[in-house]
Amino acid sequence: MPVRVLSVGVIGPGRVGSALLEQLRAAQPRLARDTGITLNLSGVIASKRMWLDCDDPQLNNRQNGAQTWRPGNIDEFTAHVCGNHKRHALLVDCTAHNEIVAYYPHWLASGIHVVTPNKLGLSGNLARWQSIRHACRSGTARLRYEATVCAGLPVIQTLRDLLDTGDRLISIQGMFSGTLAWLFNRHDGQQSFSSLLHEAHALGYTEPDPRADLSGMDVARKLVILAREAGLPLSLEHVEVESLIPPTLAGCPLDTFMQHTSTLDAPMNARLAQARSEDGVLRHVASLDCDGHARVQLRVLPSRHAFAHTQFTDNIVQFCTDRYRDNPLLVQGPGAGPEFTAGGVFADMLRIAESLTTCA
Protein backbone atom coordinates (compact mmCIF):
# COMPACT_ATOMS: atom_id res chain seq x y z
CA MET A 1 0.00 0.00 0.00
CA PRO A 2 1.51 3.37 -1.01
CA VAL A 3 1.98 5.80 1.86
CA ARG A 4 0.78 9.34 1.20
CA VAL A 5 1.43 12.05 3.76
CA LEU A 6 -0.18 15.47 3.64
CA SER A 7 0.61 18.39 5.94
CA VAL A 8 -2.65 20.23 6.71
CA GLY A 9 -3.27 23.75 7.95
CA VAL A 10 -6.79 24.85 8.91
CA ILE A 11 -7.64 28.54 8.60
CA GLY A 12 -10.69 29.58 10.61
CA PRO A 13 -11.65 27.26 13.50
CA GLY A 14 -15.25 28.48 13.58
CA ARG A 15 -18.33 26.28 13.31
CA VAL A 16 -17.27 24.55 10.10
CA GLY A 17 -13.57 24.54 10.95
CA SER A 18 -14.19 23.04 14.40
CA ALA A 19 -16.46 20.35 12.93
CA LEU A 20 -13.76 19.55 10.38
CA LEU A 21 -11.10 19.22 13.10
CA GLU A 22 -13.28 16.77 15.02
CA GLN A 23 -13.93 14.71 11.89
CA LEU A 24 -10.23 14.74 11.03
CA ARG A 25 -9.14 13.58 14.49
CA ALA A 26 -11.69 10.78 14.50
CA ALA A 27 -10.71 9.53 11.02
CA GLN A 28 -6.90 9.80 11.16
CA PRO A 29 -6.18 6.31 12.60
CA ARG A 30 -8.53 4.53 10.18
CA LEU A 31 -7.24 6.43 7.14
CA ALA A 32 -3.63 5.64 7.97
CA ARG A 33 -4.41 1.97 8.61
CA ASP A 34 -6.79 1.26 5.72
CA THR A 35 -5.73 3.66 2.96
CA GLY A 36 -2.14 4.63 3.66
CA ILE A 37 -3.18 8.29 3.85
CA THR A 38 -1.72 10.29 6.73
CA LEU A 39 -3.25 13.71 7.26
CA ASN A 40 -1.01 15.56 9.71
CA LEU A 41 -2.56 18.62 11.28
CA SER A 42 0.38 21.03 11.27
CA GLY A 43 -1.47 24.11 12.46
CA VAL A 44 -4.69 26.00 13.06
CA ILE A 45 -5.00 29.77 12.70
CA ALA A 46 -7.77 32.13 13.79
CA SER A 47 -7.96 35.88 13.28
CA LYS A 48 -5.45 36.71 16.02
CA ARG A 49 -3.92 33.44 17.19
CA MET A 50 -2.37 30.33 15.73
CA TRP A 51 -1.56 26.91 17.12
CA LEU A 52 1.34 24.97 15.60
CA ASP A 53 2.34 21.37 16.12
CA CYS A 54 5.92 22.48 16.77
CA ASP A 55 4.62 24.29 19.87
CA ASP A 56 2.19 21.56 20.83
CA PRO A 57 3.25 18.04 19.75
CA GLN A 58 -0.19 16.76 20.76
CA LEU A 59 -2.04 19.11 18.40
CA ASN A 60 -3.40 16.20 16.34
CA ASN A 61 -4.90 14.61 19.45
CA ARG A 62 -6.44 17.63 21.13
CA GLN A 63 -10.19 17.42 21.60
CA ASN A 64 -10.68 20.70 23.45
CA GLY A 65 -8.25 23.04 21.73
CA ALA A 66 -4.50 23.35 21.66
CA GLN A 67 -2.72 24.43 24.79
CA THR A 68 -0.07 26.72 23.35
CA TRP A 69 -0.61 29.59 20.94
CA ARG A 70 1.33 32.39 19.37
CA PRO A 71 0.16 35.59 17.60
CA GLY A 72 -1.43 34.83 14.25
CA ASN A 73 0.59 35.52 11.12
CA ILE A 74 -0.64 33.97 7.90
CA ASP A 75 2.76 34.02 6.18
CA GLU A 76 4.50 32.34 9.12
CA PHE A 77 1.62 29.89 9.35
CA THR A 78 1.88 28.97 5.69
CA ALA A 79 5.65 28.52 5.91
CA HIS A 80 5.26 26.20 8.89
CA VAL A 81 2.59 24.05 7.21
CA CYS A 82 4.77 23.73 4.11
CA GLY A 83 7.92 22.90 6.09
CA ASN A 84 10.64 21.78 3.77
CA HIS A 85 9.74 21.87 0.09
CA LYS A 86 9.68 18.09 -0.21
CA ARG A 87 6.43 17.55 1.65
CA HIS A 88 2.91 17.94 0.31
CA ALA A 89 1.00 20.80 1.93
CA LEU A 90 -2.70 21.66 1.96
CA LEU A 91 -4.41 24.74 3.37
CA VAL A 92 -8.10 24.62 4.26
CA ASP A 93 -9.79 28.02 4.22
CA CYS A 94 -12.89 27.79 6.43
CA THR A 95 -13.28 31.56 6.66
CA ALA A 96 -15.59 33.88 4.77
CA HIS A 97 -12.93 36.53 4.23
CA ASN A 98 -11.69 38.10 1.02
CA GLU A 99 -8.32 38.69 2.67
CA ILE A 100 -7.62 34.96 2.71
CA VAL A 101 -8.89 34.44 -0.83
CA ALA A 102 -6.28 36.95 -2.04
CA TYR A 103 -3.59 34.40 -1.13
CA TYR A 104 -5.01 31.60 -3.30
CA PRO A 105 -3.12 32.38 -6.55
CA HIS A 106 0.21 32.60 -4.71
CA TRP A 107 -0.41 29.43 -2.70
CA LEU A 108 -1.45 27.43 -5.74
CA ALA A 109 1.43 28.74 -7.86
CA SER A 110 3.77 27.71 -5.02
CA GLY A 111 2.48 24.14 -5.11
CA ILE A 112 0.22 24.38 -2.05
CA HIS A 113 -3.13 22.62 -2.42
CA VAL A 114 -6.22 24.56 -1.31
CA VAL A 115 -9.63 23.30 -0.15
CA THR A 116 -12.39 25.70 0.82
CA PRO A 117 -16.09 26.24 1.50
CA ASN A 118 -15.46 30.01 1.13
CA LYS A 119 -17.66 31.25 -1.73
CA LEU A 120 -16.04 34.68 -2.09
CA GLY A 121 -13.08 33.60 -4.18
CA LEU A 122 -15.08 31.40 -6.51
CA SER A 123 -17.97 33.83 -7.09
CA GLY A 124 -16.25 37.19 -6.66
CA ASN A 125 -14.24 39.34 -9.04
CA LEU A 126 -13.96 37.50 -12.36
CA ALA A 127 -10.36 38.57 -12.99
CA ARG A 128 -9.32 37.19 -9.60
CA TRP A 129 -11.13 33.94 -10.32
CA GLN A 130 -9.30 33.69 -13.63
CA SER A 131 -5.97 34.23 -11.85
CA ILE A 132 -6.85 31.44 -9.42
CA ARG A 133 -7.70 29.12 -12.32
CA HIS A 134 -4.52 30.05 -14.15
CA ALA A 135 -2.46 29.23 -11.06
CA CYS A 136 -4.12 25.80 -10.90
CA ARG A 137 -3.61 25.02 -14.57
CA SER A 138 -0.02 26.17 -14.71
CA GLY A 139 1.19 24.20 -11.70
CA THR A 140 0.76 20.97 -9.78
CA ALA A 141 -1.40 22.19 -6.90
CA ARG A 142 -5.12 21.46 -6.82
CA LEU A 143 -8.05 23.59 -5.71
CA ARG A 144 -11.25 21.90 -4.57
CA TYR A 145 -14.39 23.68 -3.42
CA GLU A 146 -17.29 21.21 -3.44
CA ALA A 147 -18.62 22.59 -0.14
CA THR A 148 -19.18 26.08 -1.58
CA VAL A 149 -22.44 24.77 -3.09
CA CYS A 150 -24.93 22.68 -1.10
CA ALA A 151 -22.62 21.79 1.80
CA GLY A 152 -21.54 18.15 1.44
CA LEU A 153 -23.63 17.22 -1.61
CA PRO A 154 -21.70 16.19 -4.75
CA VAL A 155 -23.04 18.98 -6.93
CA ILE A 156 -19.87 20.44 -8.43
CA GLN A 157 -18.37 16.97 -8.94
CA THR A 158 -21.53 15.82 -10.71
CA LEU A 159 -21.40 18.82 -13.03
CA ARG A 160 -17.70 18.20 -13.71
CA ASP A 161 -18.34 14.56 -14.50
CA LEU A 162 -21.15 15.39 -16.92
CA LEU A 163 -19.11 17.96 -18.81
CA ASP A 164 -15.83 16.01 -18.74
CA THR A 165 -17.53 12.99 -20.30
CA GLY A 166 -18.89 15.08 -23.17
CA ASP A 167 -22.43 15.85 -22.03
CA ARG A 168 -23.85 19.29 -22.85
CA LEU A 169 -25.53 21.42 -20.21
CA ILE A 170 -28.97 22.77 -21.02
CA SER A 171 -29.98 24.18 -17.64
CA ILE A 172 -29.55 23.96 -13.89
CA GLN A 173 -32.32 24.60 -11.39
CA GLY A 174 -32.02 24.23 -7.68
CA MET A 175 -32.90 25.07 -4.13
CA PHE A 176 -29.49 26.14 -2.89
CA SER A 177 -30.33 27.57 0.54
CA GLY A 178 -30.93 25.17 3.41
CA THR A 179 -32.22 28.12 5.42
CA LEU A 180 -34.83 29.17 2.86
CA ALA A 181 -35.73 25.55 2.17
CA TRP A 182 -36.50 25.05 5.86
CA LEU A 183 -38.51 28.26 6.04
CA PHE A 184 -40.71 27.52 3.04
CA ASN A 185 -41.12 23.85 3.94
CA ARG A 186 -42.53 25.07 7.27
CA HIS A 187 -44.47 28.11 6.05
CA ASP A 188 -48.00 26.69 5.92
CA GLY A 189 -49.97 29.45 7.63
CA GLN A 190 -49.98 27.78 11.05
CA GLN A 191 -47.16 30.05 12.26
CA SER A 192 -46.22 33.52 11.12
CA PHE A 193 -43.26 33.71 8.78
CA SER A 194 -41.47 36.00 11.24
CA SER A 195 -41.79 33.46 14.07
CA LEU A 196 -40.36 30.77 11.78
CA LEU A 197 -37.47 33.09 10.95
CA HIS A 198 -36.71 33.63 14.63
CA GLU A 199 -36.88 29.86 15.21
CA ALA A 200 -34.46 29.22 12.33
CA HIS A 201 -32.14 31.88 13.72
CA ALA A 202 -32.20 30.29 17.19
CA LEU A 203 -31.45 26.87 15.70
CA GLY A 204 -28.43 28.25 13.88
CA TYR A 205 -29.87 27.59 10.42
CA THR A 206 -29.56 31.23 9.34
CA GLU A 207 -26.51 33.41 9.04
CA PRO A 208 -25.91 35.62 12.11
CA ASP A 209 -27.77 38.31 10.14
CA PRO A 210 -30.72 36.48 8.49
CA ARG A 211 -30.81 39.12 5.77
CA ALA A 212 -27.78 37.40 4.25
CA ASP A 213 -30.15 34.50 3.51
CA LEU A 214 -33.26 36.51 2.68
CA SER A 215 -31.44 38.76 0.23
CA GLY A 216 -30.81 35.83 -2.12
CA MET A 217 -27.20 36.89 -2.64
CA ASP A 218 -25.75 33.78 -1.01
CA VAL A 219 -27.74 31.66 -3.47
CA ALA A 220 -26.64 33.91 -6.34
CA ARG A 221 -23.00 33.25 -5.41
CA LYS A 222 -23.58 29.50 -5.60
CA LEU A 223 -25.19 29.91 -9.02
CA VAL A 224 -22.19 31.92 -10.22
CA ILE A 225 -19.83 29.17 -9.01
CA LEU A 226 -21.75 26.56 -11.01
CA ALA A 227 -21.89 28.81 -14.06
CA ARG A 228 -18.13 29.30 -14.00
CA GLU A 229 -17.64 25.58 -13.54
CA ALA A 230 -19.67 25.15 -16.74
CA GLY A 231 -17.40 27.60 -18.57
CA LEU A 232 -19.73 30.60 -18.45
CA PRO A 233 -18.00 33.88 -17.46
CA LEU A 234 -20.82 34.91 -15.12
CA SER A 235 -20.53 37.52 -12.37
CA LEU A 236 -22.91 38.44 -9.57
CA GLU A 237 -24.15 41.52 -11.39
CA HIS A 238 -25.44 39.26 -14.16
CA VAL A 239 -27.78 37.38 -11.82
CA GLU A 240 -31.34 38.64 -11.45
CA VAL A 241 -32.02 38.37 -7.72
CA GLU A 242 -35.33 38.81 -5.91
CA SER A 243 -34.72 39.95 -2.33
CA LEU A 244 -37.26 38.99 0.32
CA ILE A 245 -36.20 41.86 2.59
CA PRO A 246 -38.59 44.85 2.79
CA PRO A 247 -36.73 47.98 1.60
CA THR A 248 -37.34 49.69 4.95
CA LEU A 249 -35.37 46.95 6.75
CA ALA A 250 -32.57 46.41 4.25
CA GLY A 251 -30.05 48.86 5.70
CA CYS A 252 -31.01 49.11 9.36
CA PRO A 253 -29.00 47.66 12.28
CA LEU A 254 -29.46 43.94 12.93
CA ASP A 255 -31.26 44.51 16.23
CA THR A 256 -33.77 46.78 14.51
CA PHE A 257 -34.37 44.23 11.79
CA MET A 258 -34.94 41.42 14.29
CA GLN A 259 -37.43 43.57 16.19
CA HIS A 260 -39.44 44.31 13.04
CA THR A 261 -39.47 40.96 11.25
CA SER A 262 -43.27 40.98 11.46
CA THR A 263 -43.09 43.29 8.44
CA LEU A 264 -42.38 40.12 6.45
CA ASP A 265 -45.64 38.43 7.46
CA ALA A 266 -48.15 40.15 5.20
CA PRO A 267 -46.20 39.73 1.92
CA MET A 268 -45.30 36.13 2.76
CA ASN A 269 -48.93 35.33 3.60
CA ALA A 270 -49.95 36.80 0.26
CA ARG A 271 -47.41 34.66 -1.57
CA LEU A 272 -48.64 31.56 0.27
CA ALA A 273 -52.24 32.35 -0.66
CA GLN A 274 -51.18 32.74 -4.30
CA ALA A 275 -49.47 29.36 -4.25
CA ARG A 276 -52.51 27.66 -2.77
CA SER A 277 -54.83 29.27 -5.30
CA GLU A 278 -52.70 27.69 -8.03
CA ASP A 279 -52.57 24.31 -6.23
CA GLY A 280 -48.83 24.77 -5.82
CA VAL A 281 -46.11 25.32 -3.26
CA LEU A 282 -43.69 28.16 -2.52
CA ARG A 283 -40.04 27.38 -3.12
CA HIS A 284 -36.91 29.53 -3.34
CA VAL A 285 -35.35 28.58 -6.67
CA ALA A 286 -32.23 29.50 -8.62
CA SER A 287 -31.98 28.80 -12.34
CA LEU A 288 -29.28 28.98 -15.00
CA ASP A 289 -29.43 28.17 -18.70
CA CYS A 290 -26.68 27.40 -21.18
CA ASP A 291 -26.72 30.99 -22.47
CA GLY A 292 -25.83 32.35 -19.01
CA HIS A 293 -29.26 33.66 -18.05
CA ALA A 294 -29.37 33.39 -14.26
CA ARG A 295 -32.17 34.12 -11.81
CA VAL A 296 -32.88 33.71 -8.08
CA GLN A 297 -36.50 34.07 -6.98
CA LEU A 298 -39.38 32.84 -4.84
CA ARG A 299 -41.59 30.77 -7.14
CA VAL A 300 -44.87 28.91 -7.11
CA LEU A 301 -44.20 25.36 -8.26
CA PRO A 302 -46.76 22.67 -9.11
CA SER A 303 -47.38 20.24 -6.27
CA ARG A 304 -46.08 17.41 -8.47
CA HIS A 305 -42.71 19.14 -9.01
CA ALA A 306 -39.66 17.36 -7.57
CA PHE A 307 -38.84 20.47 -5.52
CA ALA A 308 -42.25 20.31 -3.83
CA HIS A 309 -41.29 17.19 -1.88
CA THR A 310 -38.15 18.33 -0.12
CA GLN A 311 -37.87 18.13 3.67
CA PHE A 312 -36.21 20.09 6.46
CA THR A 313 -33.09 21.88 5.11
CA ASP A 314 -32.88 19.88 1.90
CA ASN A 315 -31.01 21.32 -1.03
CA ILE A 316 -31.91 19.88 -4.41
CA VAL A 317 -30.28 20.47 -7.78
CA GLN A 318 -31.68 19.45 -11.15
CA PHE A 319 -29.32 19.06 -14.11
CA CYS A 320 -30.91 19.07 -17.56
CA THR A 321 -28.41 17.97 -20.22
CA ASP A 322 -28.43 16.26 -23.59
CA ARG A 323 -28.25 12.91 -21.81
CA TYR A 324 -30.67 13.86 -19.06
CA ARG A 325 -33.06 15.93 -21.16
CA ASP A 326 -36.27 13.96 -20.66
CA ASN A 327 -35.55 12.85 -17.10
CA PRO A 328 -33.24 15.40 -15.41
CA LEU A 329 -30.55 14.26 -13.00
CA LEU A 330 -31.28 15.17 -9.37
CA VAL A 331 -28.93 15.60 -6.41
CA GLN A 332 -30.68 16.04 -3.07
CA GLY A 333 -29.84 16.09 0.63
CA PRO A 334 -29.27 18.29 3.69
CA GLY A 335 -27.92 21.71 2.74
CA ALA A 336 -27.31 23.33 6.12
CA GLY A 337 -25.27 22.47 9.18
CA PRO A 338 -21.55 22.69 9.92
CA GLU A 339 -21.11 18.92 10.06
CA PHE A 340 -22.38 18.51 6.48
CA THR A 341 -20.21 21.33 5.15
CA ALA A 342 -17.20 19.98 7.03
CA GLY A 343 -17.88 16.56 5.53
CA GLY A 344 -17.77 18.07 2.05
CA VAL A 345 -14.48 19.79 2.86
CA PHE A 346 -13.04 16.57 4.27
CA ALA A 347 -14.03 14.64 1.14
CA ASP A 348 -12.17 17.20 -0.98
CA MET A 349 -9.09 16.81 1.22
CA LEU A 350 -9.18 13.06 0.68
CA ARG A 351 -9.49 13.42 -3.09
CA ILE A 352 -6.34 15.52 -3.09
CA ALA A 353 -4.55 13.05 -0.80
CA GLU A 354 -5.55 10.15 -3.03
CA SER A 355 -4.10 11.95 -6.06
CA LEU A 356 -0.64 12.16 -4.52
CA THR A 357 1.81 9.84 -6.23
CA THR A 358 4.72 9.98 -3.82
CA CYS A 359 5.34 9.89 -0.11
CA ALA A 360 6.32 13.26 1.35
Side-chain angles (χ1 to χ4, degrees):
M1 180 188 301
V3 176
R4 290 157 291 186
V5 181
L6 193 56
S7 173
V8 177
V10 175
I11 306 168
R15 294 174 63 211
V16 172
S18 295
L20 174 64
L21 290 171
E22 291 301 318
Q23 292 177 11
L24 176 61
R25 291 179 184 116
Q28 280 171 324
R30 180 188 59 79
L31 289 171
R33 181 186 68 245
D34 297 345
T35 70
I37 293 174
T38 298
L39 300 176
N40 283 331
L41 180 63
S42 297
V44 179
I45 186 170
S47 58
K48 296 180 180 179
R49 297 180 178 184
M50 62 184 181
W51 297 262
L52 308 179
D53 61 347
C54 61
D55 296 328
D56 186 352
Q58 296 301 313
L59 183 65
N60 280 269
N61 300 319
R62 298 292 185 194
Q63 297 299 314
N64 297 307
Q67 306 300 303
T68 304
W69 62 270
R70 62 174 74 185
N73 182 296
I74 193 66
D75 293 320
E76 292 179 11
F77 179 80
T78 302
H80 175 74
V81 173
C82 291
N84 65 63
H85 293 295
K86 293 182 180 180
R87 73 178 182 182
H88 299 293
L90 182 150
L91 294 174
V92 185
D93 173 19
C94 290
T95 75
H97 301 316
N98 263 312
E99 295 84 354
I100 301 299
V101 172
Y103 286 91
Y104 287 11
H106 171 69
W107 288 339
L108 292 163
S110 301
I112 304 169
H113 304 289
V114 177
V115 170
T116 186
N118 185 344
K119 291 180 282 293
L120 298 183
L122 292 306
S123 65
N125 180 273
L126 185 59
R128 182 174 65 184
W129 164 237
Q130 290 169 339
S131 72
I132 291 171
R133 293 289 281 184
H134 176 74
C136 288
R137 290 170 176 167
S138 60
T140 59
R142 301 181 66 193
L143 168 70
R144 295 198 66 95
Y145 44 91
E146 183 68 74
T148 58
V149 179
C150 300
L153 298 183
V155 173
I156 293 174
Q157 187 62 52
T158 298
L159 178 57
R160 280 181 183 153
D161 289 345
L162 291 170
L163 299 177
D164 288 348
T165 56
D167 205 353
R168 186 182 70 88
L169 182 68
I170 297 172
S171 66
I172 300 173
Q173 290 192 34
M175 293 167 50
F176 293 107
S177 168
T179 303
L180 294 172
W182 187 89
L183 285 169
F184 289 106
N185 281 329
R186 295 285 305 277
H187 182 43
D188 59 4
Q190 299 300 308
Q191 286 180 260
S192 67
F193 188 83
S194 58
S195 67
L196 289 172
L197 182 63
H198 280 274
E199 184 178 347
H201 188 255
L203 289 169
Y205 289 160
T206 74
E207 294 295 326
D209 186 338
R211 287 173 294 186
D213 302 296
L214 296 172
S215 70
M217 291 306 297
D218 184 65
V219 171
R221 287 189 178 279
K222 297 172 184 178
L223 202 60
V224 167
I225 291 170
L226 291 179
R228 292 177 178 178
E229 196 66 35
L232 299 169
L234 202 70
S235 293
L236 278 174
E237 59 266 25
H238 301 135
V239 184
E240 183 181 342
V241 182
E242 175 191 5
S243 174
L244 304 182
I245 306 169
T248 55
L249 297 180
C252 65
L254 175 59
D255 288 347
T256 303
F257 170 75
M258 296 303 291
Q259 291 168 8
H260 293 85
T261 53
S262 59
T263 308
L264 294 161
D265 292 338
M268 289 299 103
N269 286 339
R271 300 292 286 270
L272 180 61
Q274 176 195 357
R276 287 179 167 171
S277 70
E278 299 176 18
D279 192 27
V281 297
L282 275 181
R283 293 293 184 264
H284 192 266
V285 178
S287 58
L288 170 74
D289 67 24
C290 59
D291 294 320
H293 300 131
R295 191 171 186 181
V296 175
Q297 61 185 143
L298 186 60
R299 291 177 53 186
V300 175
L301 298 178
S303 57
R304 64 182 181 278
H305 195 285
F307 293 7
H309 306 291
T310 55
Q311 301 182 67
F312 308 110
T313 63
D314 273 3
N315 281 179
I316 184 168
V317 184
Q318 176 179 279
F319 294 101
C320 182
T321 68
D322 280 347
R323 290 180 196 151
Y324 294 92
R325 183 188 298 266
D326 298 326
N327 189 15
L329 175 63
L330 294 175
V331 178
Q332 180 177 352
E339 68 278 12
F340 297 113
T341 302
V345 171
F346 200 172
D348 275 348
M349 293 168 62
L350 290 177
R351 289 190 180 97
I352 290 177
E354 288 165 355
S355 73
L356 303 178
T357 56
T358 59
C359 172

